[in-house]
Amino acid sequence: MAMPASAESFPPRDECGDIPGADAFRMALATAVASRDETKLLPLFSPDVFLDVVGSGGRKELRERLLDPDTHLWEELETLQQLGCGRTSKNFYLPWYSGERLGGDDEFTTYLAVGEKVPLRSGPSEAAPVIRYLNWEAVTMEWNMASELSFYQVYGGVFEESGFVDMSDTTFFAEVTAGSTRGYVDGSDLRAQLAYSLRVSQIDGEWQITSFYAGD
């Protein structure tokens, strides 16, 4: 019988409800994203918004990336709103856990099991027995596995010696360590510690998104 998770859990929290103007801002963001309306979305971003770790940014660049279906930025913005909200003394950010240290020594190889009952299986198959269920727990994996999972989540496949292998109709199982237990988790149930996050700061008295990127 599968045992319930007993490790530390990081379920979404909302720490931003009492920040003046934060709820209205998040509602405006949700409305713009749901309607895929860039005319409503772009004003919510700072004119100098950071969009990657090398410093690229600005609304013009953001608009170009939104128009590129391979970036999946609309979907990322949609997902972020489901993962809680954290705060500092001066700003707030999505997801909530981006302000937390999930426990892994290497942020690149640290992932979060997204859900209250994510199966940790004994093998890389949906038919493999469930060892236990993960409840919003952090897991770690080998660097090569993290690279493969990251590639799969972006491109829907893996790259082997023979070339690109489309896995859009196949489940990718990542080998992970959860606490002291090794097992396999469906890659679609995992989100990287360094996946997209956004930060919202006040500029001239108005809340604006000042960074939106994936990475450290």
Side-chain angles (χ1 to χ4, degrees), residues 45-123:
F45 285 77
S46 163
D48 302 315
V49 60
F50 285 98
L51 297 176
D52 55 44
V53 294
V54 297
S56 300
R59 289 176 181 168
K60 181 180 178 181
E61 176 66 21
L62 174 60
R63 182 177 184 275
E64 292 177 358
R65 296 186 185 190
L66 287 168
L67 293 173
D68 182 352
D70 291 334
T71 64
H72 305 290
L73 291 189
W74 287 109
E75 290 80 6
E76 287 291 346
L77 288 167
E78 205 162 43
T79 298
L80 285 176
Q81 296 173 78
Q82 303 168 25
L83 296 174
C85 181
R87 64 186 295 175
T88 68
S89 60
K90 296 182 179 180
N91 51 43
F92 62 93
Y93 50 84
L94 312 177
W96 165 79
Y97 74 79
S98 64
E100 300 294 312
R101 185 73 177 182
L102 298 184
D105 293 330
D106 184 348
E107 288 183 312
F108 178 74
T109 60
T110 301
Y111 280 71
L112 185 68
V114 182
E116 296 179 350
K117 200 174 181 181
V118 175
L120 177 68
R121 299 185 181 276
S122 60

Side-chain angles (χ1 to χ4, degrees), residues 34-50:
S35 60
R36 299 296 194 265
D37 189 339
E38 66 180 60
T39 63
K40 292 181 179 179
L41 181 71
L42 292 177
L44 301 178
F45 285 77
S46 163
D48 302 315
V49 60
F50 285 98

Side-chain angles (χ1 to χ4, degrees), residues 42-214:
L42 292 177
L44 301 178
F45 285 77
S46 163
D48 302 315
V49 60
F50 285 98
L51 297 176
D52 55 44
V53 294
V54 297
S56 300
R59 289 176 181 168
K60 181 180 178 181
E61 176 66 21
L62 174 60
R63 182 177 184 275
E64 292 177 358
R65 296 186 185 190
L66 287 168
L67 293 173
D68 182 352
D70 291 334
T71 64
H72 305 290
L73 291 189
W74 287 109
E75 290 80 6
E76 287 291 346
L77 288 167
E78 205 162 43
T79 298
L80 285 176
Q81 296 173 78
Q82 303 168 25
L83 296 174
C85 181
R87 64 186 295 175
T88 68
S89 60
K90 296 182 179 180
N91 51 43
F92 62 93
Y93 50 84
L94 312 177
W96 165 79
Y97 74 79
S98 64
E100 300 294 312
R101 185 73 177 182
L102 298 184
D105 293 330
D106 184 348
E107 288 183 312
F108 178 74
T109 60
T110 301
Y111 280 71
L112 185 68
V114 182
E116 296 179 350
K117 200 174 181 181
V118 175
L120 177 68
R121 299 185 181 276
S122 60
S125 165
E126 293 180 358
V130 175
I131 301 171
R132 67 180 181 88
Y133 291 100
L134 306 177
N135 178 12
W136 292 98
E137 291 176 50
V139 301
T140 59
M141 61 189 74
E142 297 296 331
W143 199 92
N144 287 344
M145 176 60 70
S147 297
E148 282 192 31
L149 177 57
S150 178
F151 192 91
Y152 162 76
Q153 290 179 333
V154 173
Y155 298 107
V158 295
F159 196 82
E160 299 180 350
E161 290 184 5
S162 58
F164 178 75
V165 179
D166 188 341
M167 295 186 65
S168 54
D169 296 325
T170 308
T171 301
F172 179 96
F173 281 93
E175 185 176 8
V176 306
T177 299
S180 59
T181 306
R182 292 186 69 85
Y184 294 83
V185 177
D186 183 337
S188 64
D189 290 329
L190 297 172
R191 184 172 177 84
Q193 166 90 70
L194 296 180
Y196 271 94
S197 64
L198 63 81
R199 187 167 294 269
V200 187
S201 306
Q202 277 204 323
I203 300 176
D204 297 329
E206 293 186 5
W207 290 111
Q208 290 189 324
I209 297 170
T210 51
S211 68
F212 172 49
Y213 61 84

Side-chain angles (χ1 to χ4, degrees), residues 18-34:
D18 61 347
I19 300 175
D23 280 349
F25 181 89
R26 288 189 289 169
M27 180 62 70
L29 177 63
T31 299
V33 172

